[in-house]
Amino acid sequence: MKKIFLLLFTSFFAISTLMAQPKTGTVIPNFTLKNTNDKSVSLASFTGKVVLIDFWASWCGPCRASNKELKRLYAKFNQQGFEIFSISIDQSRTDWLEAIKEDNTKWTHVIDNGGLLANTWNVAYIPNTFLLNKERKLIAVNLSGKALENKIKSLL
């Protein structure tokens, strides 16, 4: 009985650890998703840049509203080494592509078909953002407004 309990406890602990949001200070492991042209894009391709990972969806009003602020930050800091890596949890590729076009966002967009990455990271709501430094270390989660701008500036 002890062995069964230990096995169940160990399995639960391992699964819950995998299903947790990344913790501030940890290096984010590489992952690869498909972009708007159906080409693979990996997080590692942004190493050496400050990156904002942005989980969103075309049907999410707050996500679409936050794109206005993200556009301003992208325009201000992109030439200094800031990138936005938007990860859509949309089920409809057509809706996703239309939203990118409507919002006129010029940064890298990928789609998390089936939500595997969002589930692995335990993304419970959107928009949900993760700010990484140039070495892919997680610096902050869900910053917005002046706090996000100031943190980006300090990392560049």
Side-chain angles (χ1 to χ4, degrees):
M1 186 66 157
K2 276 182 157 178
K3 286 182 181 180
I4 292 173
F5 175 75
L6 185 58
L7 179 62
L8 288 173
F9 177 77
T10 305
S11 298
F12 174 76
F13 181 75
I15 290 169
S16 64
T17 301
L18 289 173
M19 296 295 286
Q21 276 196 345
K23 303 287 183 230
T24 303
T26 61
V27 174
I28 301 300
N30 190 39
F31 59 84
T32 303
L33 295 168
K34 298 285 186 170
N35 70 8
T36 56
N37 297 316
D38 209 32
K39 303 257 190 266
S40 294
V41 179
S42 69
L43 179 62
S45 66
F46 297 103
T47 301
K49 296 183 180 217
V50 173
V51 178
L52 183 70
I53 297 174
D54 169 41
F55 284 90
W56 75 292
S58 64
W59 45 263
C60 169
C63 300
R64 302 290 294 276
S66 75
N67 277 341
K68 293 175 185 152
E69 177 64 11
L70 294 181
K71 282 172 65 171
R72 186 185 71 75
L73 294 173
Y74 188 74
K76 183 172 185 173
F77 295 118
N78 177 251
Q79 294 300 313
Q80 299 171 47
F82 171 65
E83 287 292 337
I84 300 173
F85 194 32
S86 283
I87 302 171
S88 172
I89 63 167
D90 275 288
Q91 297 299 311
S92 168
R93 182 174 176 79
T94 303
D95 292 347
W96 169 56
L97 294 172
E98 186 61 32
I100 294 167
K101 183 179 177 183
E102 285 175 10
D103 292 356
N104 195 30
T105 53
K106 302 295 184 190
W107 53 80
T108 302
H109 287 271
V110 293
I111 193 163
D112 185 15
N113 284 334
L116 182 61
L117 185 65
N119 287 333
T120 300
W121 283 28
N122 201 24
V123 173
Y125 59 87
I126 52 175
N128 202 315
T129 61
F130 300 84
L131 184 64
L132 313 182
N133 71 6
K134 295 177 181 181
E135 292 79 36
R136 293 195 341 235
K137 185 185 290 184
L138 180 58
I139 301 301
V141 178
N142 292 323
L143 288 180
S144 61
K146 206 65 169 156
L148 177 58
E149 183 172 354
N150 289 340
K151 186 54 80 174
I152 292 168
K153 194 182 303 183
S154 75
L155 294 170
L156 293 170

